[in-house]
Amino acid sequence: MNKKGYFGPYGGCYVPETLFPALEELDRVYQEVRTDGDFQEELKVLLNKYSGRPTPLYYAERLSDALGAKIYLKREDLNHTGAHKINNALGQALIARRLGKRRIIAETGAGQHGVASATAAARFGMECTVFMGELDIERQRMNVDRMRLLGAEVVPVSSGNKTLKDATNEAIRHWVAHVEDCHYIIGSVVGPHPYPSMVRDFQRIIGDETKEQIMADEGRLPDVVVACVGGGSNAMGIFYPFVEDGSVRMIGVEAAGHGVETGEHAVTLSEGRVGVLHGSRSYLLQTDDGQVIEPYSLSAGLDYPGVGPQHSFFKDSGRVEYVSVTDYQAVAAYGELCSLEGIIPALESSHALAQVSVMAPELDENTVVVVNLSGRGDKDMDSVRPFLLKEDDRI
Amino acid sequence: MRDLKVIFDGGTALIPFVMAGDPDLETTVSLVEAMVKAGADAVELGMPFSDPLADGPVIQEAGQRALACGTTLESVVKIAGEIAGKVAVPIILMGYFNPIMSYGVDRFASDLADAGVAAVIVPDLPFDEGDELHDALRAHGVTPILMVSPNIADDRLAEIGRRAEGFVYCVSLLGVTGQGSLHEGMASYIERVRRNVSVPLALGFGIDGPERAAQVAPLVDGVVVGSAVVKAVHGSGGGPKGVACGAKLIGEIASAIG
């Protein structure tokens, strides 16, 4: 990566001139804190004592028996606020404080990043505004209530598909207008430099812990690591520390929605073309004319037309395999984990679980598979209920 | 007409912005012709994009309307050529990078040259990322226009000063298009840009009518009026009535800035 924030041909800083001072200052402080012992220690204490890290690496015995491999779940759902998003939100809130900013803005799809940002803002006594598409507000009502309870203002966004892409546009426009007093906590490994690198570095703790834990449990590295990919922060977090470990197969799972062939999906890396959205160059779902296509997924957190630039680089280099599963497969995996392990996974993470079911026939019983269980799924009950009703009248 | 220099020769240049294809491409042609008759010295033609990061609601919605009626970058380039053949002022295209990338940077530069377009402004393409497009445009005799904002750092401003061609687009405020108030220290901001930049300066974003245009005109070499024009045209229902309203507004601003 060169200093402009490129991963091969992907990344960069495609933003209006007004944002440059903020991005340059952010990059300066981010480079500073990477090696600042006091900052790292404060973050570590927060992650341990406030968020509950390290999260367990749990051997899912009944799921393993059912699928025929040794399946471990990295329990990011057990973080405070219920998802991996808090790792990044706490890190960036500390940076915001160092930047002297009193206001936090954030965008959110499933609401987990909004809740994490609202939580971090409350913890540090900062104001918080969260932009959220109207459709997502409807399907993630519980998280909207949580954000408001935490003192955040939730701003409904009514443009476009009323989902994550539109919330991100609105957050960036708001940032352009209030750049002097607010810090924008981007929730994934997307956006202009330095966000893709910075968010990755705050999330790599997932992979660092996984590596240590699997060595303790199995005495060797995993054979396969699987994670879902919307913008791609949980996947980048668990993949990044394994990039140099050639024996570890890594699989990113995108949301195929109603099926790739229907056109209603969020399969950016396989179906997209290289373009520029939200400040960086990466694969993008777009029309022949370069207009961004509104993606679709039942999972609000995967409903995004772009993807982090480093994922685009991993796709081209072949280091990570990117596949997709449908809404229906994800919901089936959601139900399966509930009934076999007593764990309700986020619909996002259910895509990763579904991929393990798809792969099961080719797996040996000694194959060690780690699935990043990026968040918990009680937030998704409203989305999942219609599927469950079809199959089982008891719910 | 592709000579940008002449528009700054007599008094403050007036540069209205219209979104190509809002409400349709035929109306866009009539609107540009009417505005030129009313006193416009150059015209910015918007290339609609689904996700315009530097625009406020007025221009964002105009872009949505243009896309909804089937406007594509290809059709905008075509209409720009038609307009350039009809009016005697420079045509400047303004829009975001993704559709240009999708169209093909070289093809874009070459087609604009054929169409007689004078210049291009891309708000989400800072000079750091702009070499590929800017070189292609220059090779075809089309001028890439750079933007500056009130909070720009000295080193970036100096670099823009070294690279600037045609004119520099000075964003008048920290915000998106169509927002209310201008930057507080406008005079010192413009003076700072002047010290670094030798080409003319045009000021845009937030110039909402004759009064504000007259207020800033003495400071700069040109003013860009976007949201106010779009609002006037759309608010009066588009069509011939919208064209008349847009032209009337431009006439009033032209008189106000002298």
Side-chain angles (χ1 to χ4, degrees):
Chain A
M1 191 184 78
N2 67 26
K3 69 183 169 71
K4 286 163 78 187
Y6 272 90
F7 309 93
Y10 306 111
C13 214
Y14 295 80
V15 293
E17 197 62 46
T18 315
L19 293 180
F20 263 90
L23 288 169
E24 284 181 341
E25 194 188 12
L26 178 62
D27 190 33
R28 183 182 56 73
V29 170
Y30 156 63
Q31 297 303 340
E32 219 174 81
V33 302
R34 293 178 77 182
T35 52
D36 180 329
D38 290 345
F39 179 94
Q40 294 299 336
E41 183 57 28
E42 187 172 7
L43 179 59
K44 191 177 162 195
V45 170
L46 267 175
L47 290 172
N48 292 355
K49 306 279 186 187
Y50 183 68
S51 182
R53 301 207 72 90
T55 59
L57 181 68
Y58 165 70
Y59 176 59
E61 192 179 349
R62 285 184 15 98
L63 183 69
S64 296
D65 287 348
L67 295 181
K70 297 180 90 170
I71 300 166
Y72 286 83
L73 305 177
K74 180 58 176 165
R75 298 291 307 273
E76 289 301 295
D77 60 314
L78 294 179
N79 268 307
H80 177 46
T81 72
H84 72 292
K85 297 289 187 182
I86 193 74
N87 305 330
N88 171 51
L90 287 172
Q92 284 202 50
L94 280 181
I95 283 187
R97 195 182 61 183
R98 191 174 275 227
L99 287 165
K101 303 286 171 78
R102 298 281 306 157
R103 284 189 63 221
I104 293 295
I105 61 166
E107 82 299 323
T108 199
Q112 291 301 110
H113 173 58
V115 169
S117 297
T119 299
R123 168 67 182 71
F124 289 104
M126 294 170 176
E127 283 176 45
C128 183
T129 305
V130 180
F131 295 87
M132 189 167 186
E134 281 179 352
L135 175 65
D136 290 342
I137 285 180
E138 223 170 85
R139 57 182 172 172
Q140 301 287 342
R141 211 166 299 155
M142 188 181 81
N143 273 343
V144 174
D145 291 343
R146 291 169 77 194
M147 284 180 257
R148 289 186 172 141
L149 194 60
L150 290 160
E153 181 195 3
V154 179
V155 178
V157 176
S158 60
S159 56
N161 244 17
K162 306 175 176 62
T163 61
L164 182 55
K165 167 178 86 83
D166 313 295
T168 308
N169 287 337
E170 214 47 52
I172 295 177
R173 279 194 283 259
H174 183 90
W175 194 29
V176 170
H178 300 88
V179 66
E180 290 190 313
D181 73 339
C182 73
H183 173 68
Y184 178 17
I185 302 189
I186 291 183
S188 194
V189 285
V190 300
H193 178 71
Y195 283 99
S197 310
M198 182 173 69
V199 177
R200 174 199 68 204
D201 290 349
F202 285 135
Q203 293 294 3
R204 67 168 292 163
I205 191 164
I206 305 170
D208 285 335
E209 283 178 7
T210 300
K211 211 168 186 175
E212 213 177 295
Q213 290 165 323
I214 201 73
M215 289 304 290
D217 287 354
E218 290 285 338
R220 65 185 182 97
L221 293 175
D223 299 299
V224 189
V225 178
V226 189
C228 64
V229 178
S233 73
N234 90 87
M236 189 56 71
I238 196 163
F239 290 164
Y240 191 58
F242 290 103
V243 167
E244 303 297 325
D245 300 309
S247 68
V248 180
R249 188 177 164 199
M250 298 193 280
I251 302 175
V253 188
E254 294 190 297
H258 290 140
V260 174
E261 69 290 350
T262 67
E264 292 180 41
H265 61 78
V267 183
T268 307
L269 284 159
S270 308
E271 298 294 309
R273 281 186 295 123
V274 178
V276 165
L277 180 70
H278 298 150
S280 62
R281 187 189 284 242
S282 195
Y283 279 89
L284 177 64
L285 291 175
Q286 54 182 314
T287 64
D288 291 342
D289 190 41
Q291 305 298 334
V292 180
I293 291 176
E294 301 286 355
Y296 164 78
S297 167
L298 180 67
S299 164
L302 301 182
D303 203 349
Y304 186 68
V307 64
Q310 198 163 9
H311 283 292
S312 293
F313 179 66
F314 286 156
K315 176 196 158 66
D316 286 3
S317 71
R319 181 62 190 96
V320 178
E321 301 160 51
Y322 294 92
V323 298
S324 62
V325 302
T326 63
D327 284 353
Y328 188 83
Q329 290 173 291
V331 171
Y334 181 96
E336 186 174 43
L337 195 71
C338 291
S339 60
L340 287 178
E341 297 287 349
I343 297 170
I344 306 177
L347 260 182
E348 290 81 357
S349 321
S350 301
H351 284 71
L353 291 163
Q355 173 58 23
V356 181
S357 301
V358 170
M359 291 165 65
E362 65 179 82
L363 298 176
D364 177 271
E365 61 179 6
N366 290 317
T367 306
V368 174
V369 180
V370 175
V371 180
N372 194 12
L373 202 71
S374 55
R376 71 184 193 211
D378 39 356
K379 70 183 175 62
D380 294 314
M381 287 305 295
D382 286 345
S383 299
V384 169
R385 189 175 292 115
F387 283 80
L388 298 180
L389 274 175
K390 280 181 207 162
E391 293 175 357
D392 187 339
D393 288 335
R394 286 172 306 176
I395 296 176
Chain B
M1 206 262 273
R2 283 159 68 175
D3 187 359
L4 286 170
K5 196 170 168 291
V6 298
I7 70 174
F8 301 103
D9 281 350
T12 311
L14 173 54
I15 311 171
F17 166 96
V18 299
M19 180 60 78
D22 173 35
D24 54 63
L25 291 166
E26 292 72 30
T27 307
T28 301
V29 178
S30 321
L31 180 58
V32 173
E33 285 185 290
M35 289 194 305
V36 171
K37 273 188 199 134
D41 298 296
V43 174
E44 266 186 32
L45 205 53
M47 303 177 273
F49 181 47
S50 52
D51 298 82
L53 294 186
D55 286 310
V58 171
I59 291 180
Q60 185 193 2
E61 284 161 18
Q64 294 301 328
R65 290 193 293 271
L67 292 173
C69 78
T71 309
T72 61
L73 183 50
E74 202 162 344
S75 64
V76 176
V77 172
K78 194 162 162 268
I79 213 79
E82 194 180 314
I83 292 170
K86 287 185 172 179
V87 298
V89 303
I91 303 300
I92 301 162
L93 291 194
M94 182 166 189
Y96 294 83
F97 189 49
N98 196 60
I100 298 172
M101 233 178 117
S102 182
Y103 191 91
V105 164
D106 285 328
R107 178 182 164 220
F108 181 69
S110 147
D111 287 358
L112 290 202
D114 290 348
V117 169
V120 176
I121 305 170
V122 185
D124 65 344
L125 193 69
F127 67 82
D128 324 52
E129 307 289 359
D131 285 348
E132 189 190 357
L133 176 64
H134 295 167
D135 290 348
L137 290 170
R138 277 187 214 106
H140 286 90
V142 180
T143 307
I145 301 295
L146 297 176
M147 303 179 92
V148 300
S149 60
N151 58 348
I152 191 165
D154 288 341
D155 55 343
R156 287 189 69 81
L157 186 53
E159 185 59 35
I160 284 172
R162 282 190 285 275
R163 291 167 178 257
E165 299 164 63
F167 64 91
V168 161
Y169 190 122
C170 303
V171 174
S172 73
L173 42 78
L174 295 184
V176 292
T177 56
Q179 277 188 327
S181 51
L182 302 180
H183 188 64
E184 288 166 8
M186 184 59 73
S188 60
Y189 160 47
I190 295 300
E191 194 193 321
R192 192 160 81 93
V193 181
R194 284 250 189 250
R195 280 202 302 273
N196 287 275
V197 171
S198 57
V199 295
L201 307 183
L203 187 75
F205 285 40
I207 312 295
D208 60 359
E211 202 177 313
R212 189 162 283 174
Q215 181 194 339
V216 297
L219 296 172
V220 287
D221 309 298
V223 292
V224 181
V225 187
S227 296
V229 173
V230 171
K231 211 189 278 181
V233 175
H234 181 65
S236 54
K241 212 170 161 194
V243 170
C245 266
K248 183 167 169 281
L249 176 65
I250 292 307
E252 287 165 5
I253 298 174
S255 305
I257 64 176

